[in-house]
Amino acid sequence: LQRFGGRPRLSRYVILSVGMLLRLRHSLATAREAFGAATLFRRSGRRLVPAVNRRQLIVLKRVSWGLTRVGVVQGGKGVFRLLHVWLRRPDRVRTHTGSGLVIDFDYPSQMMPTLVLFGDLLEPEIRMLPHVLKKGMVAVDVGASIGTWALSAARAGARVLACEPDPQNVGTLRGNIAANKLDARVEVRRIGLGSGRGWAQLVPQKRRYLNRVTRLGPEPGTGTSGVPEPADRFPLTTLDAFSEDEELPRIDVVKVNTAGGELEVLDGCRGLLRQQRIDFLLLLDGDEIRAHLDEFTEFGYDIGIWDGDAARLRTVPLSSDLASLRRTPMNRYVILCRKAVTAHHAGVIGAGSIEAETGAETGVEVGDGTGSGAAVR
């Protein structure tokens, strides 16, 4: 190629172009694996209809909604950022969010496509944190991963206990805490939370935020040969026991995202809920978790989701009514909120009646001591 026309610069461009095409081919295969392989359309009689599965439909809705939020210009820049990452395939990626956070992650195991695409954390449950957390309050992040939620809670002023069993995620989490100078507010615990005490083993996945946990037994043990347990094993406890070990009389906000283990975490915090020692419990939404929410209304909790546009909690009498609430594709959590908090939590949230999409509306505004107020329906 260098002898081609005596133009080495042209030869270099040709080589680079071929390399980029090969990387693009590999990146498209990776994206296809990540988002699920399927054609966009299928034939139904004489018509072409969309042929996407549920997961792909959720991804498409989130991308479409996010682009309307950030705008065409920022969306275009995000597309180029995403392509840049996919083509270069660096071992480490650093992103700067619009809210001022620095988020590092390993590529591709900790890749967060929407964060790179939109350049910010658009989940309503993250935008909720400044409204419900103040300086001196306590938040617990169960399944902290690389720390996006924990860092946001710390930025709101809270003391955060970040629980994450994956050593690779813990390393990235600690780095992100240091990069954002939040060491004084975020404490990392390499521990798993579930429905009982014991010892567990990590089952890593290609995407580290989808890691699974296998419970091994009541004690760590060393095996019959006296050889210590592998590094991928870690202590397992309940949120009830964790609060006692950490000497937490009450917890203001708990977030639970354990890639399918949310129900076990919920079972492990019944004592705290029965005593109303948790104000907000955010659980990764799903049909399995919804089926068990109604019983906690007897403990004095409301069921709802956070409306990021209106900055208020929207609640319903029963979990079956959650479908009636207008929600964005970025809403990922269902919330248990202590009824008394609706009226008195730091003066931020007003009580009043609950607004379901089919019910009446009588919101109450309560001042927060700064001249501002927020209504909760």
Side-chain angles (χ1 to χ4, degrees):
L1 285 172
Q2 289 181 353
R3 291 195 300 268
F4 177 72
R7 288 181 281 183
R9 180 176 297 180
L10 176 61
S11 303
R12 186 161 54 248
Y13 287 150
V14 171
I15 293 173
L16 289 175
S17 299
V18 172
M20 290 184 66
L21 287 174
L22 291 175
R23 285 190 176 186
L24 178 60
R25 180 184 178 187
H26 185 275
S27 299
L28 290 175
T30 303
R32 186 180 178 86
E33 178 184 354
F35 294 110
T39 57
L40 290 177
F41 297 93
R42 61 180 174 83
R43 184 170 294 279
S44 177
R46 295 184 177 181
R47 297 184 303 166
L48 289 177
V49 297
V52 292
N53 58 36
R54 182 180 179 184
R55 181 185 177 190
Q56 293 168 328
L57 186 60
I58 292 174
V59 171
L60 290 174
K61 286 183 177 180
R62 285 179 178 172
V63 170
S64 175
W65 182 87
L67 291 176
T68 62
R69 289 287 169 167
V70 301
V72 176
V73 175
Q74 292 299 322
K77 292 180 179 179
V79 171
F80 279 108
R81 283 195 301 267
L82 199 58
L83 289 174
H84 181 73
V85 171
W86 276 344
L87 291 173
R88 288 193 59 198
R89 301 185 59 79
D91 294 332
R92 194 80 166 174
V93 178
R94 165 163 288 192
T95 59
H96 297 265
T97 70
S99 56
L101 290 175
V102 177
I103 306 293
D104 291 338
F105 58 84
D106 294 338
Y107 180 86
S109 61
Q110 297 171 339
M111 173 71 166
M112 300 178 65
T114 54
L115 175 60
V116 178
L117 178 61
F118 303 134
D120 211 343
L121 303 166
L122 301 182
E123 292 90 342
E125 296 84 8
I126 289 182
R127 296 165 60 191
M128 158 190 180
L129 296 176
H131 296 276
V132 299
L133 285 175
K134 304 295 179 184
K135 186 176 180 180
M137 292 183 176
V138 176
V140 176
D141 189 355
V142 183
S145 188
I146 63 174
T148 53
W149 192 92
L151 295 173
S152 300
R155 284 282 294 271
R159 174 198 175 196
V160 182
L161 298 173
C163 304
E164 173 57 45
D166 184 350
Q168 181 176 335
N169 285 346
V170 167
T172 301
L173 172 60
R174 293 186 188 277
N176 285 331
I177 293 170
N180 290 278
K181 300 180 180 179
L182 292 171
D183 309 71
R185 294 184 184 175
V186 184
E187 304 169 31
V188 181
R189 303 287 186 266
R190 186 170 180 257
I191 192 172
L193 278 83
S195 58
R197 284 182 178 269
W199 207 247
Q201 184 170 7
L202 191 71
V203 183
Q205 307 294 316
K206 289 183 179 180
R207 297 289 184 260
R208 307 297 292 195
Y209 49 80
L210 298 176
N211 287 340
R212 301 286 180 173
V213 170
T214 300
R215 186 169 181 176
L216 299 177
E219 300 294 337
T222 57
T224 55
S225 62
V227 178
E229 299 287 1
D232 62 351
R233 300 192 179 185
F234 54 89
L236 187 68
T237 188
T238 66
L239 195 53
D240 286 341
F242 179 77
S243 66
E244 298 303 323
D245 295 340
E246 296 289 340
E247 299 181 351
L248 302 175
R250 70 178 310 101
I251 307 173
D252 297 283
V253 181
V254 177
K255 185 228 62 175
V256 182
N257 183 347
T258 53
E262 292 78 19
L263 186 56
E264 292 188 6
V265 179
L266 181 61
D267 288 337
C269 67
R270 288 178 178 272
L272 290 171
L273 294 173
R274 186 175 290 108
Q275 299 171 24
Q276 297 190 7
R277 290 169 56 191
I278 298 176
D279 287 347
F280 290 92
L281 177 60
L282 283 66
L283 297 155
L284 188 66
D285 198 3
D287 294 336
E288 183 180 10
I289 202 71
R290 287 191 182 191
H292 295 79
L293 295 178
D294 291 340
E295 60 180 296
F296 295 99
T297 60
E298 300 178 1
F299 296 169
Y301 283 85
D302 289 325
I303 304 169
I305 63 170
W306 185 261
D307 185 336
D309 293 332
R312 65 180 60 150
L313 182 71
R314 295 190 181 275
T315 57
V316 290
L318 299 172
S319 60
S320 58
D321 298 323
L322 284 169
S324 67
L325 294 178
R326 290 192 299 268
R327 51 189 300 169
T328 72
M330 287 294 185
N331 276 100
R332 301 179 61 203
Y333 295 86
V334 62
I335 302 174
L336 288 176
C337 175
R338 191 164 62 91
K339 291 182 183 293
V341 172
T342 317
H344 304 295
H345 187 277
V348 174
I349 297 181
S353 69
I354 298 167
E355 179 196 13
E357 294 304 319
T358 58
E361 175 182 356
T362 57
V364 176
E365 292 193 356
V366 179
D368 62 358
T370 62
S372 63
V376 166
R377 316 289 180 171

